[in-house]
Amino acid sequence: MTVATDEPVPVGVLIGIGAGALVLALGATFVGLLIGRRVFGQRLELALRPAGETRWQHGRVDAAPGRLVFTPYKWQVRFISGSPTQYEVLAVGEDTGRRPSKKQLWSVNPALHVVEVETDRGTLQLGLQGHQVDDVRQRLQPEAPRS
């Protein structure tokens, strides 16, 4: 006994299957984003290097007014490698339009914006995506001394 027929599948059935798959995909995306934010928080990921050095280190940053905590990643993927390093932020520079060298294409995205940050351990350069620059600058800006 065979069940195959030569009749085409009705268009309404195909549209219904497509609409159902779309609703499931949107629902799964929404739930995934909610769970991801609850588990990981609003993660701020960037590249960092001491000013004047050529090697970028990728990692996660916790930023607060006047404080930056950098947790490095291993192999530029999201495996935490090493303990967090805390910096006291003294001043945050402007986005001057500087970008990493195109020679470093394999280690860092050449489209990142480079922002210099003065810390208690010297000047750091942060490689940020364009949409992160203003947010990071506002988060890191030290509070004005109270008189």
Side-chain angles (χ1 to χ4, degrees):
M1 179 173 166
T2 61
V3 225
T5 64
D6 289 337
E7 293 189 32
V9 178
V11 173
V13 172
L14 292 175
I15 291 174
I17 291 171
L22 181 63
V23 168
L24 282 174
L26 290 174
T29 301
F30 180 72
V31 170
L33 288 173
L34 285 178
I35 291 172
R37 285 193 182 135
R38 180 163 292 164
V39 171
F40 299 112
Q42 289 284 7
R43 221 180 243 180
L44 181 59
E45 297 175 332
L46 50 78
L48 176 141
R49 71 178 178 186
E53 291 194 16
T54 57
R55 188 174 180 275
W56 290 92
Q57 175 68 51
H58 295 263
R60 176 172 68 207
V61 167
D62 294 318
R67 185 180 62 84
L68 178 139
V69 180
F70 180 75
T71 306
Y73 289 153
K74 187 172 194 162
W75 302 312
Q76 299 162 5
V77 291
R78 292 173 176 93
F79 296 122
I80 292 179
S81 170
S83 57
T85 305
Q86 185 165 339
Y87 298 94
E88 181 182 333
V89 176
L90 306 174
V92 182
E94 298 289 327
D95 180 11
T96 60
R98 288 185 49 211
R99 303 286 190 269
S101 167
K102 295 200 185 324
K103 295 177 187 176
Q104 299 173 325
L105 181 65
W106 291 106
S107 63
V108 69
N109 182 350
L112 294 178
H113 295 241
V114 178
V115 175
E116 290 195 353
V117 176
E118 294 292 328
T119 71
D120 57 337
R121 299 179 186 200
T123 303
L124 296 176
Q125 292 180 331
L126 305 180
L128 305 165
Q129 294 179 11
H131 69 275
Q132 294 177 314
V133 172
D134 292 334
D135 181 40
V136 171
R137 288 189 71 251
Q138 288 175 358
R139 283 192 201 185
L140 289 176
Q141 204 65 252
E143 294 178 345
R146 296 181 182 158
S147 45

